């Protein structure tokens, strides 16, 4: 079970004795570099800076709440993944984690490909100039209109997710006079060690076609029989926020077994396998993510070994990291509004955002860290729960954490590792205005997704 996605108990179990929390061992002023973007540090006055800019200036210029994304960290992570997998593999950034036109341009400049899973993501990718052949199109229920757009644009691959979709994509490709490159998404029957809602390779869920009962082999049979489809490989994505490589190894082994069966039955060696995304990141000091290099080596070793024993040519590997690239690169900056000490329990610290900018705590019981960032403090640590301003008691941003006891309204606090699945899952609940994403690099900050305005809300409301 992932410690971040689905904790077994209070995160500070180590500091909890007989129902009482005692002070954390770590100095609250020290930023754990594991959970913060690479250029984050404290300046001489104790204020947090990112890309060389202090948060007070950022708050003044862009307001709060806001996501600040360390562009050089994002680019460095792209390069680390591309270098780790090398020229014989492809890295597809999973756009669902966070996508904008600037991100698409960075991906192109750093040599990555892009996985999209909706018409909206496809439009963003194409609009920002991503070459269609570098796009993979995913989804368990792509609409006919989406498939048509993807085929017309000439996407490099469509990942087929059901028997109906095999026929649907074949039909659309034929009517466009195209031979569409496709992969088949299989479910390998692995129980990924993560939260139930983000595990995707066990059999009782909606994605993919099961290897069990020969379903996937049948999907291969049907796909190979259709002239308008070019089957280039098999795809498996086992889940998200996973630290343990064992699930990926089982997945790789089972996918290679299927390739061997396909070779035996059809005399065809499929040239590619895609092992999906899902690599975990550090949300708290207790998480220990692996480096891309280790991941690449583990995956390519297992694929090479399995292929040797099945006497198959080693296929080209692709992977689809989303969170592992963008997650650690951003933090959310909030202003403290009210502070409510509940005697004998904890102190509730309310910020100017909440579940509308980070639904992950409410949805997956996810864990986050938090720090006072507008200044340092020598005050005693106090146990807090950071909550939002929504009309919902489950509106929790950080469930259990320590902040200095002299915390006051107006202080800025920041939650790190919010680059993935926060802005992309943000909502307008209570007519909240979704916060901007500001890219910071080398002393310059620029808005890449602007803050929503009340006019935006009213523009949609046409009644
Ligand atoms: N490839 C496929 C086919 C996927 O479905 C996903 C994520 C990825 C790649 C990227 O996974 P990553 O490397 O980012 O873990 N909203 C959830 C995560 C849902 C992930 C859905 N699919 C969360 O906030 O944890």
């Amino acid at each position: 079970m992932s410690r971040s996605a689905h904790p077994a108990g209070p995160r500070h179990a180590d500091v909890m004795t007989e129902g009482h929390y005692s002070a954390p061992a770590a100095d609250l002023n020290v930023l754990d570099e594991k959970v913060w973007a690479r250029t984050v540090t404290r300046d001489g006055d104790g204020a947090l800076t990112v890309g060389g800019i202090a948060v007070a200036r950022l708050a003044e210029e862009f307001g709060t709440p806001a996501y600040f994304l360390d562009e050089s960290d994002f680019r460095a992570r792209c390069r680390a993944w591309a270098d780790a997998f090398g020229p014989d593999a492809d890295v597809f950034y999973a756009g669902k984690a966070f996508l904008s036109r600037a991100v698409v341009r960075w991906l192109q400049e750093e040599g990555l490909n892009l996985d999209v899973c909706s018409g909206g993501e496809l439009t963003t990718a194409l609009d920002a100039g991503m070459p269609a052949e570098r796009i993979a199109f995913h989804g368990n229920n792509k609409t006919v209109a989406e498939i048509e757009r993807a085929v017309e644009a000439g996407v490099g691959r469509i990942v087929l997710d059901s028997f109906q979709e095999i026929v649907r994509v074949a039909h659309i490709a034929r009517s466009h006079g195209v031979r569409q490159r496709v992969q088949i998404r299989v479910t390998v029957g692995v129980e990924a060690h993560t939260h139930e809602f983000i595990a995707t390779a066990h059999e009782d869920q909606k994605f993919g076609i099961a290897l069990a009962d020969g379903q996937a082999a049948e999907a291969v049979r049907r796909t190979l029989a259709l002239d308008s489809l070019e089957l280039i490989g098999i795809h498996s994505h086992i889940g998200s926020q996973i630290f343990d490589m064992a699930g990926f190894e089982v997945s790789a082994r089972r996918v290679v077994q299927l390739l061997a069966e396909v070779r035996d039955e059809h005399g065809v060696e499929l040239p590619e396998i895609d092992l999906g995304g899902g690599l975990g990141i550090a949300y708290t000091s207790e998480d220990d993510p692996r480096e891309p290099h280790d991941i690449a080596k583990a995956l390519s070793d297992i694929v090479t070994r399995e292929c040797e024993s099945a006497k198959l040519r080693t296929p080209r590997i692709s992977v689809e990291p989303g969170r592992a690239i963008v997650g650690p690169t951003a933090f959310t900056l909030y202003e403290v509004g009210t502070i409510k000490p509940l005697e004998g329990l904890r102190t509730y610290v309310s910020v100017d955002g909440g579940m509308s900018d980070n639904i992950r705590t409410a949805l997956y019981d996810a864990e986050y860290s938090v720090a006072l960032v507008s200044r340092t403090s020598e005050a005693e640590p106090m146990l807090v729960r950071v909550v939002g301003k929504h009309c919902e008691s489950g509106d929790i941003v950080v469930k259990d954490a320590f902040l200095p006891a002299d915390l006051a309204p107006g202080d800025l606090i920041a939650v790190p590792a919010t680059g993935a699945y926060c802005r992309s899952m943000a909502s307008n609940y209570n007519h909240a205005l979704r916060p901007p994403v500001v890219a910071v690099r080398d002393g310059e900050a620029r808005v890449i997704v602007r803050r929503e305005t009340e006019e935006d809300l009213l523009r949609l409301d046409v009644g």
Side-chain angles (χ1 to χ4, degrees):
M1 194 183 307
S2 149
R3 286 152 298 175
S4 286
H6 195 194
R11 172 155 62 87
H12 293 289
D14 50 330
V15 295
M16 192 176 170
T17 46
E18 295 170 28
H20 299 287
Y21 286 87
S22 55
D27 177 348
L28 296 185
N29 296 316
V30 175
L31 300 169
D32 181 351
E33 59 185 36
K34 238 196 313 186
V35 299
W36 293 92
R38 279 179 210 186
T39 71
V40 165
T41 180
R42 284 198 193 264
D43 66 16
D45 297 331
L48 181 142
T49 69
V50 57
I53 309 182
V55 284
R57 212 187 103 195
L58 293 171
E60 201 177 292
E61 190 170 344
F62 303 102
T64 56
Y67 307 99
F68 292 97
L69 191 157
D70 182 344
E71 180 183 336
S72 35
D73 192 9
F74 184 97
R75 288 175 180 273
R77 286 175 194 276
C78 289
R79 285 196 294 278
W81 277 85
D83 291 350
F85 280 85
D88 297 329
D90 298 298
V91 180
F92 286 76
Y93 169 75
K96 66 207 82 184
F98 172 63
L99 195 66
S100 77
R101 287 190 279 215
V103 163
V104 175
R105 287 192 293 269
W106 300 339
L107 295 171
Q108 286 176 76
E109 286 164 14
E110 304 302 341
L112 262 60
N113 308 289
L114 177 61
D115 138 16
V116 301
C117 66
S118 71
E121 289 182 2
L122 179 62
T123 299
T124 304
L126 294 172
D127 187 77
M130 178 60 89
E133 65 272 14
R134 284 170 57 186
I135 299 177
F137 196 62
H138 273 281
N140 67 301
N141 187 19
K142 308 167 189 77
T143 65
V144 167
E146 285 173 326
I147 298 168
E148 280 173 344
R149 288 242 310 282
V151 169
E152 278 162 20
V155 300
R157 60 180 65 166
I158 294 181
V159 183
L160 302 172
D161 197 275
S162 65
F163 285 103
Q164 286 91 351
E165 205 170 74
I166 296 173
V167 179
R168 217 169 271 163
V169 174
H171 178 74
I172 293 169
R174 188 175 317 114
S175 68
H176 284 75
V178 167
R179 185 144 194 261
Q180 177 63 49
R181 288 157 61 86
V182 295
Q183 291 188 337
I184 294 173
R185 173 154 175 186
V186 301
T187 40
V188 293
V190 170
E191 293 282 343
H193 291 190
T194 188
H195 191 280
E196 176 192 352
F197 291 176
I198 50 178
T200 55
H202 53 297
E203 270 135 24
D204 185 6
Q205 46 82 31
K206 69 174 185 168
F207 293 107
I209 300 177
L211 277 178
D213 304 334
Q215 295 284 301
E218 177 58 19
V220 170
R221 228 166 269 138
R222 294 192 196 177
T223 305
L224 288 175
L226 292 161
D227 290 343
S228 58
L229 301 182
E230 179 189 351
L231 181 60
I232 59 165
I234 301 297
H235 184 287
S236 161
H237 170 76
I238 59 171
S240 215
Q241 185 56 5
I242 300 168
F243 291 97
D244 184 354
M245 290 302 287
F248 289 99
E249 295 194 2
V250 175
S251 161
R253 195 170 302 132
R254 295 193 181 158
V255 168
V256 172
Q257 262 164 25
L258 178 63
L259 292 193
E261 283 167 37
V262 171
R263 187 254 338 258
D264 295 345
E265 183 179 339
H266 305 280
V268 175
E269 289 200 27
L270 298 178
E272 297 191 23
I273 65 176
D274 190 312
L275 295 171
L279 283 313
I281 63 163
Y283 285 102
T284 76
S285 301
E286 290 160 42
D287 294 325
D288 280 311
R290 285 169 170 252
E291 291 300 318
H293 187 77
D294 288 350
I295 295 162
K297 182 160 174 6
L299 293 181
S300 93
D301 283 356
I302 181 98
V303 171
T304 308
R305 201 165 59 236
E306 292 298 312
C307 286
E308 269 166 16
S309 81
K311 300 198 168 40
L312 277 170
R313 266 197 306 275
T314 307
R316 193 173 174 86
I317 298 177
S318 48
V319 285
E320 299 172 334
R323 186 192 320 264
I325 291 179
V326 71
T329 67
F331 60 83
T332 315
L333 188 64
Y334 300 104
E335 185 178 308
V336 173
T338 62
I339 299 175
K340 227 178 249 184
L342 299 189
E343 204 44 50
L345 289 169
R346 70 183 82 244
T347 296
Y348 278 77
V349 173
S350 296
V351 295
D352 47 358
M355 65 195 301
S356 54
D357 58 71
N358 187 350
I359 190 66
R360 298 193 68 261
T361 308
L363 193 55
Y364 314 118
D365 227 359
E367 296 201 345
Y368 283 92
S369 320
V370 62
L372 168 61
V373 292
S374 41
R375 61 186 173 91
T376 50
S377 164
E378 299 310 317
E380 287 296 301
M382 69 173 165
L383 179 66
V384 300
R385 176 160 291 176
V386 179
V387 295
K389 68 197 293 296
H390 295 282
C391 302
E392 190 103 23
S393 49
D395 172 24
I396 297 168
V397 181
V398 186
K399 214 170 8 160
D400 299 307
F402 287 94
L403 283 172
D406 65 351
L407 190 76
D411 277 333
L412 297 174
I413 62 176
V415 174
T418 57
Y421 305 110
C422 286
R423 180 58 181 81
S424 70
M425 293 174 81
S427 78
N428 288 122
Y429 183 41
N430 297 143
H431 283 202
L433 304 171
R434 285 177 293 176
V437 181
V438 180
V440 186
R441 183 187 182 190
D442 299 336
E444 275 177 37
R446 70 186 171 104
V447 175
I448 59 170
V449 177
R450 73 160 167 79
R451 186 184 300 284
E452 256 172 351
T453 62
E454 290 182 349
E455 292 76 65
D456 291 328
L457 293 181
L458 292 175
R459 201 171 302 138
L460 294 176
D461 185 339
V462 294

